[in-house]
Amino acid sequence: MASNKPQLESRQPDVMISYSRANQDFMRKLKNSFIENGLQVWVDEIGLEAGSEFLNKIGQAIVDAKVFLVILSKNSATSKYCRDELALAYISNKPIIPVSIEVKNDILTALDFGMRLTLASMEWISLVDGPQYDIQLSKTIATINTFIGDDVKSHINPEKSQVRLLNRQISKHKKVLMEYEEKEMIKSGEKFIQFLKDCYLTADMIPWSLFEQKFYEINGPDLEKLCSFDNEVWLLGILYRELEVLEGNENVSKQQLLEFTDHNIDTFWENVEEQAVQSYAMREVFNMDSSVRIPAIMNLSKIKSPAVMEALSDLLTDSDPNIRS
């Protein structure tokens, strides 16, 4: 009979499972399948009544585990704890496996904009009950074992392994626009890129006021299909910061844009999306009411990277005083 306590064995967990309490029966079924296939599993079955000390153990488990698996449902899509755990896994550079147990479009509708962005570039595995369940379960286990194999290799060549993981989870970015098949949004995105190219044919600077005006004018109507106006403002704020627009010199230089896009303006939206996911994850993890904030701070020496440290510095200028603190 399965224990009601999390797997706390001494060796590093192969996989940490994040889930909504409403999906506990499915979690146990999945956990038992993993254990039967020789995987070391860490999962919280005690519950939040265990208090803040146990929340710290959950955060520690995310940092320690080789793979992070999130069970996606309409319930987990609206769970702050699941959002926090996913964000910590992201900034910890963990392989993330999203497993859906309900119709994907129903889950997408329930996700907030930041979580939607985070998951957009990742391949979801469907474990909805049906004739394909066993095949998809085998695929899930094989994917975990692939990442575990990469983790073993990382002890031999950590730099090469990290590049492999980043390429798998970030560089193969599918635009969130493609995920939602918003053809008009793709057209407006391409139109904005063309606007930038046309401007820089004749000038080395674009006034920020013009950049902002065209951003809303060209992208606004279609962006509103994907996110709220507040999120549009948030995206523009990220661009203001990343393009290093300075007060008193409110211009976007061609050189700044080329650096932001790795000298390929056609990748503008991929870079916007990547910066947005990173900003969202950092805010989610280090916010004062985050359930994983303390273990994240305690493990900065493990998860620090140039990207994480730069993102932490960005939080010092965040508009939310709780974030800045």
Side-chain angles (χ1 to χ4, degrees), residues 9-244:
E9 289 84 348
S10 57
R11 76 178 178 89
Q12 182 183 13
D14 294 320
V15 57
M16 188 276 186
I17 300 176
S18 174
Y19 71 105
S20 164
R21 194 70 45 189
N23 306 125
Q24 190 167 51
D25 289 343
F26 178 86
M27 176 278 293
R28 286 175 175 162
K29 175 183 175 182
L30 188 63
K31 181 195 75 170
N32 290 336
S33 295
F34 288 168
I35 293 173
E36 288 168 4
N37 281 272
L39 294 172
Q40 190 88 358
V41 181
W42 199 104
V43 63
D44 160 32
E45 292 189 69
I46 292 178
L48 300 179
E49 65 271 14
S52 59
E53 182 179 351
F54 195 74
L55 286 178
N56 292 342
K57 291 182 179 179
I58 294 174
Q60 188 66 51
I62 294 169
V63 174
D64 290 342
K66 299 171 187 174
V67 177
F68 177 86
L69 183 144
V70 56
I71 297 174
L72 293 174
S73 67
K74 292 188 290 292
N75 287 298
S76 62
T78 56
S79 165
K80 171 164 176 52
Y81 297 101
C82 290
R83 290 201 306 270
D84 290 352
E85 291 163 12
L86 174 65
L88 179 56
Y90 183 88
I91 71 164
S92 301
N93 201 27
K94 294 294 173 182
I96 297 172
I97 303 175
V99 167
S100 59
I101 60 172
E102 295 171 4
V103 177
K104 185 174 182 179
N105 284 340
D106 292 343
I107 299 171
L108 289 172
T109 302
L111 291 171
D112 74 1
F113 184 59
M115 200 171 180
R116 204 183 301 169
L117 280 175
T118 305
L119 294 168
S121 64
M122 302 173 191
E123 180 183 357
W124 294 27
I125 300 177
S126 174
L127 285 180
V128 176
D129 278 338
Q132 294 295 310
Y133 179 85
D134 289 340
I135 294 173
Q136 293 294 86
L137 176 62
S138 296
K139 179 180 178 180
T140 306
I141 293 169
T143 303
I144 293 171
N145 281 320
T146 297
F147 281 127
I148 291 172
D150 283 353
D151 184 77
V152 171
K153 294 172 189 174
S154 74
H155 293 292
I156 301 170
N157 192 338
E159 183 175 343
K160 186 175 182 180
S161 178
Q162 185 178 41
V163 168
R164 185 189 302 114
L165 177 59
L166 289 172
N167 286 341
R168 182 174 296 160
Q169 292 199 168
I170 298 175
S171 298
K172 71 170 190 176
H173 247 56
K174 295 182 294 180
K175 292 181 183 178
V176 71
L177 319 176
M178 296 292 284
E179 182 74 21
Y180 288 86
E181 300 179 346
E182 295 284 357
K183 294 181 181 179
E184 294 305 313
M185 182 64 228
I186 295 168
K187 288 179 183 177
S188 64
E190 291 172 348
K191 186 177 178 182
F192 185 71
I193 289 172
Q194 191 58 50
F195 156 74
L196 295 174
K197 289 180 177 179
D198 290 345
C199 284
Y200 288 125
L201 281 176
T202 57
D204 290 329
M205 297 277 186
I206 299 176
W208 175 256
S209 58
L210 178 61
F211 185 100
E212 183 178 31
Q213 174 192 334
K214 290 296 183 181
F215 182 89
Y216 286 126
E217 182 181 305
I218 297 173
N219 305 304
D222 293 310
L223 260 180
E224 288 170 9
K225 298 174 185 177
L226 298 179
C227 64
S228 67
F229 178 72
D230 286 346
N231 282 319
E232 291 180 51
V233 174
W234 174 64
L235 285 174
L236 203 59
I238 291 171
L239 283 170
Y240 188 92
R241 183 190 71 213
E242 293 300 322
L243 293 172
E244 299 180 7

